[in-house]
C-alpha cells in the first residue's frame, strides 16, 4: 500500500495502489502515520520525497473501500480534544512536523485527500499534464485533513474558497499561478532531486531552523481550524443534503437540495 525506502539520506514514500490511481484506504492512513514517526526518529534522513506509483499521484479517498467498514470513518475523524489532529489530519500535518524538507512529486491526478497530503509537503513539483482538485464538495463534504491550516500561507482566501467549492480539477499552470504549487517540471522527480542536492550542501540544523521559523511566520490558529474542520465534517456526514450530493456525484438527475441549516 505505502512503500518506504531510504536511499542514502533521502526517504522515498510511495503511494502504491496503481490500479486505483493510488486512492487512499484506511490501511494507508495508518501506514503513513507510522512512516512519519519512523522518519522523525531517523536523524540520518535529510529529505523526504512523497510520490505515487504509476501515472498518478493520488485520486483521493477510496470511499468505497473505507465505507465497507463504517467504523473506519469514526477512526479517521476521532480525536481526544477538538483542536488535536485526528488520523486524517496527521497524514497531512505530520510532514510539517518533520525537521527536514519534504517534497511531493505530482503527476496525473492529484485529487481530494491526495492533494491535501501534497499540501503537507514543503515543496510541490508538478508535471505539466497533472490535474489538481480539492474535490470533497462533490460528495457533499468539506476538506477536513488539515489543509485549511496550510492554505492561508499559499493562496488568497477567495481562491481557497473557490477551489474547495467548485471541486473541479485545475491544470498545473493554473495551480502555479494561484501559488498552490512550487514549480512545474517535465521531470518532477529529477527536479526534486536537484533541489535536494542543493539543500544537502546546507547544515541540517540550518534547514530545520528555517523550516520552523518560516512555519511560525505564516502561523494560523491551528487548533481552532482543526476543530472546525472535524466538527463541520461530522455535521455534513449526518446531513441529508450530503446523501443527495453523493447521488448527484454518481450521476443521478433532478437532485434538489433542502434549504441549508445554520452554520
Amino acid at each position: 500500500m505505502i512503500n518506504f525506502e531510504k536511499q542514502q539520506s533521502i526517504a522515498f514514500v510511495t503511494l502504491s495502489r496503481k490500479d486505483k490511481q493510488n486512492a487512499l484506504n484506511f490501511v494507508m492512513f495508518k501506514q503513513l502515520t507510522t512512516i512519519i514517526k519512523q522518519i522523525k526518529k531517523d536523524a540520518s534522513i535529510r529529505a523526504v520525497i512523497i510520490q505515487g506509483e504509476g501515472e498518478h499521484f493520488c485520486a483521493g479517498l477510496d470511499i468505497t473501500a473505507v465505507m465497507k467498514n463504517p467504523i473506519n470513518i469514526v477512526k479517521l475523524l476521532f480525536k481526544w480534544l477538538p483542536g488535536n489532529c485526528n488520523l486524517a489530519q496527521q497524514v497531512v500535518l505530520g510532514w510539517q512536523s518533520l525537521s527536514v524538507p519534504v517534497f511531493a512529486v505530482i503527476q496525473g491526478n492529484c485529487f481530494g485527500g491526495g492533494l491535501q497530503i501534497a499540501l503537507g509537503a514543503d515543496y510541490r513539483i508538478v508535471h505539466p499534464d497533472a490535474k489538481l482538485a480539492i474535490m470533497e464538495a462533490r460528495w457533499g463534504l468539506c476538506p477536513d485533513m488539515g489543509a485549511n491550516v496550510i492554505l492561508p500561507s499559499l493562496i488568497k482566501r477567495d481562491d481557497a474558497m473557490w477551489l474547495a467549492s467548485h471541486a473541479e480539477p485545475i491544470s498545473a499552470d493554473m495551480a502555479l499561478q494561484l501559488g498552490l504549487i512550487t514549480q512545474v517540471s517535465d521531470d518532477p522527480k529529477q527536479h526534486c532531486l536537484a533541489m535536494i542536492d542543493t539543500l544537502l550542501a546546507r547544515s541540517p540544523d540550518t534547514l530545520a531552523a528555517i523550516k520552523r521559523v518560516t512555519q511560525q511566520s505564516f502561523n494560523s490558529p491551528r487548533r481552532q481550524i482543526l476543530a472546525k474542520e472535524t466538527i463541520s465534517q461530522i455535521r455534513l456526514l449526518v446531513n441529508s443534503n450530503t446523501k443527495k450530493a453523493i447521488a448527484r456525484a454518481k450521476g443521478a438527475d433532478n437532485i434538489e437540495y433542502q434549504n441549508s441549516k445554520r452554520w
Side-chain angles (χ1 to χ4, degrees):
M1 301 288 192
I2 306 292
N3 292 329
F4 175 73
E5 182 182 6
K6 191 170 98 173
Q7 296 181 10
Q8 296 179 334
S9 59
I10 304 174
F12 292 85
V13 181
T14 306
L15 311 178
S16 186
R17 289 184 78 208
K18 187 167 60 173
D19 58 323
K20 298 289 186 180
Q21 296 187 20
N22 302 317
L24 301 163
N25 60 24
F26 182 74
V27 172
M28 293 169 75
F29 281 92
K30 297 291 289 183
Q31 290 177 328
L32 283 170
T33 57
T34 298
I35 288 170
I36 289 169
K37 292 175 183 176
Q38 183 177 346
I39 293 172
K40 191 177 293 189
K41 294 177 181 177
D42 190 341
S44 69
I45 292 175
R46 294 287 309 277
V48 178
I49 289 180
I50 313 169
Q51 58 190 354
E53 183 181 10
E55 298 179 358
H56 302 281
F57 181 75
C58 176
L61 182 67
D62 186 341
I63 294 177
T64 301
V66 173
M67 289 304 294
K68 282 182 179 178
N69 188 1
I71 192 63
N72 287 338
I73 296 295
V74 176
K75 292 178 180 178
L76 283 173
L77 297 179
F78 175 78
K79 54 177 71 177
W80 288 108
L81 293 172
N84 291 356
C85 279
N86 57 30
L87 181 57
Q89 292 161 339
Q90 288 172 22
V91 302
V92 175
L93 297 179
W95 307 110
Q96 294 285 300
S97 73
L98 300 179
S99 296
V100 299
V102 180
F103 295 77
V105 174
I106 299 173
Q107 73 287 338
N109 292 335
C110 180
F111 297 157
L115 178 54
Q116 293 195 68
I117 287 174
L119 289 172
D122 301 304
Y123 305 96
R124 286 156 295 285
I125 312 302
V126 181
H127 190 275
D129 295 333
K131 299 294 182 184
L132 302 91
I134 300 176
M135 202 167 271
E136 284 78 3
R138 179 174 294 188
W139 302 97
L141 302 173
C142 66
D144 69 327
M145 291 174 60
N148 290 298
V149 174
I150 300 166
L151 280 173
S153 67
L154 299 177
I155 64 178
K156 298 186 299 178
R157 185 179 71 170
D158 50 351
D159 287 333
M161 285 183 61
W162 180 244
L163 281 172
S165 298
H166 75 69
E168 297 294 336
I170 62 172
S171 68
D173 285 339
M174 176 58 71
L176 183 64
Q177 180 180 327
L178 293 175
L180 196 65
I181 64 174
T182 309
Q183 192 58 265
V184 176
S185 172
D186 289 327
D187 193 339
K189 186 171 183 177
Q190 284 303 124
H191 192 111
C192 283
L193 290 172
M195 291 178 69
I196 289 172
D197 191 51
T198 298
L199 294 178
L200 290 179
R202 307 291 175 251
S203 160
D205 291 307
T206 296
L207 299 181
I210 289 171
K211 181 169 180 173
R212 293 291 174 252
V213 171
T214 304
Q215 286 174 331
Q216 186 63 36
S217 66
F218 286 95
N219 188 38
S220 297
R222 171 171 164 160
R223 293 188 65 82
Q224 294 94 315
I225 292 172
L226 293 180
K228 190 65 175 178
E229 275 191 353
T230 303
I231 292 168
S232 297
Q233 196 72 304
I234 291 170
R235 289 184 63 188
L236 287 171
L237 285 168
V238 298
N239 188 298
S240 58
N241 275 335
T242 301
K243 294 180 180 179
K244 295 176 182 291
I246 293 171
R248 183 183 182 94
K250 291 182 176 180
D253 295 325
N254 301 320
I255 296 294
E256 293 187 11
Y257 293 113
Q258 297 177 356
N259 292 336
S260 175
K261 299 181 184 298
R262 291 188 179 273
W263 287 83

